[in-house]
Amino acid sequence: MSNYQKNFESIIAKYRLSLLKVAATFEADPVIQKDLLQEILLAIWQALASFKEQSALHTFVYKVAYNQALSHVAKESRKKNYGGLTENVECHASDIESHVIALKSTENLISKIRLLPIKQRQLITLSLEGFSYSDMAEISGLTKTNVGVQLNRAKTKLIQLLEKRQ
């Protein structure tokens, strides 16, 4: 067992919310999101045994997560289509109205992201997580230049989708 596998719980604790977002971006059904998250966590656990520190840990974790999510989408697309979302957001009783507004905004954004082509979905969510073009290139398998082009296209399309009333 590698040192990274021994520290698996702390690694997952650090990236849990981001991994939940990955699952939500690729799967709309809350039940299937949980299944996808479990698949992602298992894939990360297995991959940590071979982590050679050639990239940052967060880049490695996201690359494994996105590869697993892409495999999931490919497998599910052979079965049927998907739609809908629930995201876990901690709620404070003193701020219910703000929570509801934030949740609806988040649901709207993620539902629009889900309409983008898969590669653009991946780049938008990585961008929202604050990844650099270099990290996005490593995770996605694209060149830095292509990341910039695809991300710009994704942002333009996402703005168009958000401006539409549905």
Side-chain angles (χ1 to χ4, degrees), residues 64-165:
V64 172
Y66 277 100
N67 285 340
Q68 186 61 43
L70 291 172
S71 295
H72 169 83
V73 169
K75 180 176 70 176
E76 288 298 312
S77 70
R78 287 182 233 129
K79 293 180 183 177
K80 59 184 176 181
N81 286 336
Y82 49 102
L85 165 73
T86 303
E87 181 171 312
N88 295 329
V89 176
E90 192 174 317
C91 182
H92 301 285
S94 63
D95 201 20
I96 295 293
E97 186 175 331
S98 294
H99 170 72
V100 169
I101 291 168
L103 184 58
K104 287 185 182 212
S105 295
T106 301
E107 288 176 352
N108 184 44
L109 177 62
I110 292 176
S111 70
K112 300 303 186 205
I113 290 172
R114 203 176 293 116
L115 297 174
L116 297 172
I118 288 176
K119 192 57 77 173
Q120 289 181 358
R121 262 188 247 178
Q122 180 184 28
L123 295 175
I124 283 287
T125 55
L126 289 171
S127 176
L128 291 171
E129 291 293 325
F131 280 87
S132 69
Y133 278 27
S134 295
D135 287 342
M136 286 190 262
E138 185 174 336
I139 292 167
S140 67
L142 299 173
T143 65
K144 274 177 58 173
T145 302
N146 202 344
V147 164
V149 169
Q150 290 296 322
L151 186 57
N152 188 43
R153 289 179 185 163
K155 287 178 181 179
T156 301
K157 180 67 175 173
L158 185 58
I159 289 168
Q160 291 170 351
L161 291 169
L162 289 168
E163 289 174 347
K164 285 184 182 177
R165 297 232 187 250

